[in-house]
Amino acid sequence: MKLRLGVLGSGKGSNFRAIMEAIREGWLEAEVRIVISDVEDAGILKLAHEFDVPSQYVPPGRFRTKLEPEIEHQIVQILREMDVELIVLAGFMRVLKEVLLYAFPGRIINIHPSLLPKFRGLSAWTQALNAQEKITGCTVHYVDAGVDTGEILGQRIVPILPDDTSERLHARIQTAEHALLPSVIAEIARQRSNRSASRPF
Ligand code: GRF
């Protein structure tokens, strides 16, 4: 039984593409049931169309960094209709609040472009560069009520090179993300089908 995913994203969707490629290559036992975006012209919605995955734009409402509770209810309804088991935040640029967190406890994961707990929040690669770190990376973690604070599921280290720019470093981190995110989801899928998961799905 394939793990049923719902992917939320606001950007170009390269992590969603990595998930789809892993499924296509046969090493990720999952299917993406729905892609949801808060950005009408987001690349991730176009990619969903290319991959023949159902997708939906959900207007985010009046806040900048979170969704109105009614909008979260709307998203919960869509995810339930599509019978989604695991929600993957793949570049979703809003903080989730109670409605979504309570509807899917322990079933939402996020990819973040730093070695958490270092450099939470926005432009984490620039934060790492400015802090003159030698290494940074990416993290997949469960989502809780904090910002980039949930239980860590996996990390990849990425070196910071002497002549790095923000753009070059971010691109290198994204390459690591594209390997990490599908492999963490594959592990969740394996645990779920072995019924040895500590998580209830
Ligand atoms: C990624 O770098 C991720 O870490 C961050 O947003 C970016 C999304 O990129 N949360 P993409 O839309 O998957 O290309």
Side-chain angles (χ1 to χ4, degrees):
M1 270 270 276
K2 292 175 180 168
L3 182 64
R4 300 182 299 277
L5 306 175
V7 177
L8 272 60
S10 311
K12 64 183 190 291
S14 65
N15 281 285
F16 163 64
R17 181 194 288 281
I19 293 169
M20 294 309 294
E21 284 172 356
I23 292 172
R24 197 187 264 170
E25 288 162 13
W27 58 273
L28 173 54
E29 280 282 304
E31 61 179 313
V32 179
R33 286 289 181 100
I34 183 83
V35 169
I36 296 173
S37 184
D38 60 325
V39 177
E40 196 165 15
D41 60 352
I44 194 170
L45 291 175
K46 297 185 185 88
L47 263 184
H49 186 69
E50 276 175 36
F51 280 102
D52 247 338
V53 170
S55 62
Q56 195 160 335
Y57 161 61
V58 177
R62 70 201 141 104
F63 300 120
R64 203 169 48 84
T65 58
K66 63 177 183 177
L67 299 161
E68 290 173 35
E70 305 74 54
I71 311 284
E72 287 208 347
H73 274 297
Q74 203 182 322
I75 292 176
V76 167
Q77 200 182 329
I78 298 168
L79 293 166
R80 288 204 171 127
E81 270 165 20
M82 302 311 276
D83 204 15
V84 163
E85 294 171 279
L86 182 72
I87 297 155
V88 181
L89 305 186
F92 192 62
M93 300 308 288
R94 287 173 192 269
V95 179
L96 299 194
K97 295 290 175 188
E98 287 74 13
V99 174
L100 262 158
L101 295 174
Y102 290 166
F104 296 97
R107 294 188 184 211
I108 309 178
I109 64 171
N110 178 47
I111 175 99
H112 180 78
S114 78
L115 292 175
L116 290 173
K118 279 192 165 180
F119 310 123
R120 297 181 169 124
L122 292 176
S123 301
W125 58 93
T126 308
Q127 295 185 48
L129 202 57
N130 291 343
Q132 301 187 321
E133 297 282 325
K134 295 272 185 294
I135 58 163
T136 184
C138 52
T139 302
V140 176
H141 63 94
Y142 279 112
V143 174
D144 64 13
V147 176
D148 305 321
T149 49
E151 182 192 339
I152 290 173
L153 291 160
Q155 295 187 305
R156 290 239 169 168
I157 291 172
V158 171
I160 301 182
L161 305 179
D163 58 348
D164 257 345
T165 59
S166 261
E167 293 71 29
R168 273 205 291 265
L169 178 56
H170 188 209
R172 198 175 311 118
I173 293 172
Q174 284 227 296
T175 302
E177 290 180 346
H178 301 158
L180 177 66
L181 182 58
S183 71
V184 168
I185 299 170
E187 181 55 31
I188 292 173
R190 267 193 296 277
Q191 288 184 8
R192 138 110 136 46
S193 60
N194 291 341
R195 292 176 190 280
S196 63
S198 53
R199 305 268 159 189
F201 58 92

